[in-house]
Structures are given as structure tokens and as C-alpha cells.
Amino acid sequence: MKLPTLREIGTEAKLLLIGIPVLIWTLVPIYHMFLFAISPKEDAFSGKLWPDHPTLHNFEIVFRQQHYFLRDFWVQFGNSTVIAIATGALTLFIATSAAFSISRLRAPGGRAVMNLALFTYFIPAAFLAVPMYRTMGNYGLLNSHWSLILAMVTIASPYAIWVLKQASDKLPVELDEAATMDGATTLQLFRLVYVPLMMPSLVAVGTYAILLAWNEYLYAFLLLSKDTDITLPVALGNFLAADDSPWELLMTTGFIYALPPAAIYYAFKRYMVGGLTAGAVKS
């Protein structure tokens, strides 16, 4: 058994010195959110590391919608779910089709599309909020879930196209040639060869688009207004409108809302790392 060298030990020590403080810095807010969620209202600001009387009553209030701010909790949770899934599906369809056309079919203007996709990220998404609001108003889409879905697809698609195109370039061209010689049509080539080989990158990009829409606040706040149409992040902001905000319920709702994306990330983290970095270096 080979013993680690002093250099390897030093490298591991440096990584631990950096990683442990970052881990603690990341987990402390999550722990405080959980602490609020299991604390009675009178103990929420006690400053203790663990409540004297931990309770799940706050979760019961949220699930049963037993507070004014939570009267549409399940509807708003469903809105967030529908919008996130629709955004992921549309982004995948657009980005996969574009990457296949540019990388495999060598469609004219492909380089211009890639440059424009990259150029969009020089403009912060917040700067586009007002133009997006006006555009959706001109097309009569305000206060419709489609307005937020299309806005999120607009933001997610350029990055998704870029990632999938880079990953697509790494696929052997010989596979396409062999399939074509066997009589495969373009659609069959896309469905039977391209999509299965690109699956890790597709899962990563789809997860990215879903999480982007799931966590969006600004565009959801601007484009949706009815309590039964808004997403849960906007509803959480309404908690702060009261003089005596129920912080324990706010943190409980936020903790519940954070569980699905955490589950999605840990379910697909193997694809997230490999898929989003595919094509980053040439083999």
C-alpha cells in the first residue's frame, strides 16, 4: 500500500481548510431555517441552538393552509411545479433541436446563432424585466402562466444551446454516417442516435432549466398578480407585508419549498457535473 506523500497531504489539508468553512457558511442559514420551522412562535427568536419544545405544528399549519397568507399554498405550489416542468420541457426541446441542427446537420448560420446565444449573457436578466413585461403585455399574456414560462425559456435557452452544442461536438461523426448508410432518416438519426448519446447532458440542462424557473422571483412578481396564479416564491414575499410577520411559518414554507430542488439535484448530481462540463475541453 502506497503511503501519501507530504505534497498530497498538504493539498488535502488546504482543501479541508477551504471546504470546511464554506460548508459551515452554507449550512448555517439552512439550519436556522429548520430551527424556525420546528420552534413555537414564542421561542422562534430565543437565540438557542435548539428549541426547548420542538414541534411540527408549523408544518401542520402550512399543509392545512390554516393561515391567511397560506390560504392558496397548494395552488401556488402547483403553479410553481407546472411552470418549472413546462420550462424544462420547452427549453430541452428548443436547445436540443438547435444543437442538433448546428452541430450535426451543419445548418447555415449556426455560428451566428451560437454567438448570439453567448451575447445574451452579457445583459443581466434583471435589465430585461421591464422590456419582457411590455412584450408580454403587447401579446396579451400578462397574468398568464405562459408569460412566465416563455420568459424563463428565453433566459434558459441560450445557455442550454451552448452547453448541448459543445457536448454534441464531442460525439463521433462516424455514428451519424453509419446510421445514414443504414437508411436512417434525419428524424430517426435524431431520435435513435443523437438523443440517447446526449442523455447525460440533456438531464443536466433540463435540471438547470427546472431549478431556474422554480427559484425565479422577479419575473414571477412582475408577470403574475392574482393570488391563485402566482408562484410560491412571490407568495413568500407577501409574508413580509405584515407588521407582525409570522416568521416561523415563513421559514417553514421556505424549508418545504427548498426540498424538491434539493431532491432533484441529489438525484441527478452525477449528470449535472458530467453534463454541464461536457465539451469544456477537447479530447
Side-chain angles (χ1 to χ4, degrees):
M1 180 178 178
K2 183 181 178 182
L3 296 176
T5 63
L6 290 176
R7 185 174 182 179
E8 292 173 343
I9 295 174
T11 302
E12 291 292 333
K14 291 177 183 177
L15 291 174
L16 288 175
L17 288 175
I18 297 173
I20 292 175
V22 170
L23 178 63
I24 295 174
W25 181 265
T26 304
L27 292 180
V28 164
I30 300 175
Y31 175 73
H32 276 284
M33 181 185 295
F34 177 70
L35 203 62
F36 267 87
I38 62 173
S39 298
K41 185 174 183 178
E42 58 273 12
D43 296 339
F45 291 95
S46 63
K48 297 179 180 179
L49 293 178
W50 188 257
D52 294 330
H53 305 287
T55 177
L56 297 178
H57 182 60
N58 294 327
F59 288 90
E60 181 182 359
I61 294 175
V62 174
F63 288 142
R64 294 187 177 183
Q65 305 178 128
Q66 295 175 342
H67 191 276
Y68 173 77
F69 290 126
L70 296 166
R71 66 185 186 277
D72 297 310
F73 169 77
W74 288 112
V75 173
Q76 293 158 353
F77 191 93
N79 293 340
S80 295
T81 302
V82 170
I83 290 171
I85 292 175
T87 298
L90 279 176
T91 300
L92 272 180
F93 175 76
I94 293 171
T96 307
S97 302
F100 178 74
S101 300
I102 296 169
S103 177
R104 316 307 288 182
L105 302 181
R106 306 294 180 183
R111 177 177 289 273
V113 172
M114 294 301 299
N115 290 335
L116 287 173
L118 183 62
F119 176 75
T120 59
Y121 280 90
F122 288 106
I123 305 174
F127 287 4
L128 300 175
V130 174
M132 189 72 73
Y133 177 87
R134 183 176 178 83
T135 300
M136 295 301 174
N138 291 339
Y139 287 98
L141 292 174
L142 288 179
N143 301 320
S144 166
H145 288 169
W146 278 109
S147 62
L148 184 55
I149 292 171
L150 294 176
M152 290 295 95
V153 171
T154 301
I155 294 172
S157 291
Y159 176 72
I161 292 172
W162 186 267
V163 170
L164 292 183
K165 195 270 182 185
Q166 299 303 313
S168 179
D169 287 344
K170 295 187 68 177
L171 299 180
V173 181
E174 291 78 12
L175 294 175
D176 297 358
E177 295 173 349
T180 303
M181 291 181 63
D182 289 339
T185 63
T186 302
L187 186 60
Q188 289 174 328
L189 179 66
F190 175 80
R191 183 169 56 90
L192 301 177
V193 178
Y194 182 76
V195 171
L197 291 174
M198 289 287 290
M199 192 55 66
S201 294
L202 295 180
V203 172
V205 167
T207 304
Y208 156 76
I210 288 174
L211 296 183
L212 180 71
W214 183 266
N215 295 317
E216 179 58 32
Y217 175 83
L218 176 60
Y219 282 85
F221 177 78
L222 287 175
L223 300 175
L224 304 173
S225 58
K226 290 177 61 177
D227 287 343
T228 53
D229 290 336
I230 62 175
T231 57
L232 203 52
V234 179
L236 289 175
N238 294 336
F239 277 82
L240 304 178
D243 294 332
D244 185 20
S245 300
W247 286 94
E248 73 285 355
L249 297 182
L250 172 62
M251 294 300 177
T252 304
T253 309
F255 184 79
I256 294 170
Y257 193 67
L259 293 179
I264 291 173
Y265 173 76
Y266 281 103
F268 298 113
K269 65 179 180 179
R270 180 165 58 95
Y271 294 104
M272 291 291 289
V273 176
L276 292 178
T277 57
V281 295
K282 293 182 178 181
S283 57

